[in-house]
Amino acid sequence: MILLATLISYPRAIILGLLQGVSELFPVSSLGHSVILPKLFGWNIHQNDKYFLTFLVATHLATAIVLLGFFRHDWARILKGIGRSLRDREIRENDTDAKLGWLLVVGTIPAGILGLVLEHKLRAVFASATSAAVFLTLNGLLLYGTERLRRRAPQTDADDDTRIARQVTWRGAVLVGAAQALALIPGFSRSGATMGGGLLAGLSNKDAARFAFLLATPIIGAAALLKLPQLIGPDGNGVRGPALVGSLCSALTAYLAVRFLMRLFETKTLTPFAVYCLVAGLAATIYLLA
């Protein structure tokens, strides 16, 4: 009998883990790349295979842990701010940590609901590498469009979180959070949709990236924790070793990616990522159709 582990060998686990850590935070769709790459390489891996979903749970959890660790001081302040607002039963005008915390809560709710309702349906409908390649192309158009349509609001405060708390409205937080649901379709990027929503809300590229990573932490972490029993249970049989290796690789590249992107977006835009998605998506679509 062939063990499930042979379907995700350790070399493949390393490649997929390294890829996931980068593509989850870069606005280029981690799920899309995880669907397209095995097809291009001729690997017998399908995105709806239970063992592969179990593998992805582990790598996503590693990414969430890295994000939590990277922004640990920010999260400590934000949670204290939420605690103050609950104690006082109000969000004081000058308590930007509390305002940012509740913006993140408001943004997380629609993403969580849409994820629970639509995840299995969308993955079942858009389960092919070809559809993922098409949506990767559309992701490029989305990134380019948000850069062109962005609302450039004045940046009036030197503190990052204060700017975000003052600029993003409650309605904007809902819309930005709901935009994350696009990532349920392989090819669309969670971080790309969130950053794009932040740009349309008037944030700078740097602030949009920061808000996107803060918003992604509870969503990715909660989704992974909900599915963690799959890794511990029977679905994890034969894949736990590769999942551990893939998680370590994912954690490494996620840490490097978030450090790189926070510096990059101080001066750069989403346009290079839009071009990459357009070129890579079109090339993969043509190759897969041919």
Side-chain angles (χ1 to χ4, degrees), residues 3-32:
L3 292 175
L4 286 177
T6 60
L7 298 177
I8 303 183
S9 63
Y10 283 97
R12 292 180 183 180
I14 292 172
I15 293 172
L16 290 170
L18 293 172
L19 176 68
Q20 200 280 329
V22 172
S23 56
E24 181 67 43
L25 302 182
F26 277 51
V28 297
S29 178
S30 63
L31 184 56

Side-chain angles (χ1 to χ4, degrees), residues 2 28 36 55 68 81 105 109 145 148 150 185 193 222 258 262 267 270 276 281 289:
I2 299 176
V28 297
I36 296 170
F55 175 86
L68 183 60
V105 171
I109 292 172
R148 297 285 295 177
R150 64 176 298 181
I185 303 175
V258 70
M262 290 308 299
T267 56
L270 290 172
Y276 165 78
L289 288 176

Side-chain angles (χ1 to χ4, degrees), residues 1-8 50-52 54-55 229-243:
M1 182 177 70
I2 299 176
L3 292 175
L4 286 177
T6 60
L7 298 177
I8 303 183
K50 287 186 176 180
Y51 71 90
F52 187 49
T54 302
F55 175 86
Q230 296 178 7
L231 183 63
I232 300 173
D235 289 343
N237 292 340
V239 78
R240 293 190 185 94

Side-chain angles (χ1 to χ4, degrees), residues 133-210:
V134 171
F135 286 121
L136 182 63
T137 307
L138 295 178
N139 185 66
L141 293 175
L142 173 69
L143 297 179
Y144 182 74
T146 53
E147 278 289 358
R148 297 285 295 177
L149 297 174
R150 64 176 298 181
R151 183 167 64 89
R152 298 182 183 273
Q155 305 300 310
T156 57
D157 198 282
D159 180 72
D160 295 339
D161 290 343
T162 300
R163 287 197 307 271
I164 295 172
R166 290 178 176 175
Q167 191 62 51
V168 179
T169 63
W170 299 110
R171 178 174 176 271
V174 172
L175 295 176
V176 172
Q180 292 187 91
L182 280 174
L184 299 173
I185 303 175
F188 280 111
S189 165
R190 180 192 311 278
S191 61
T194 313
M195 289 181 201
L199 293 180
L200 295 179
L203 295 178
S204 66
N205 287 90
K206 177 186 176 183
D207 291 346
R210 182 180 180 82

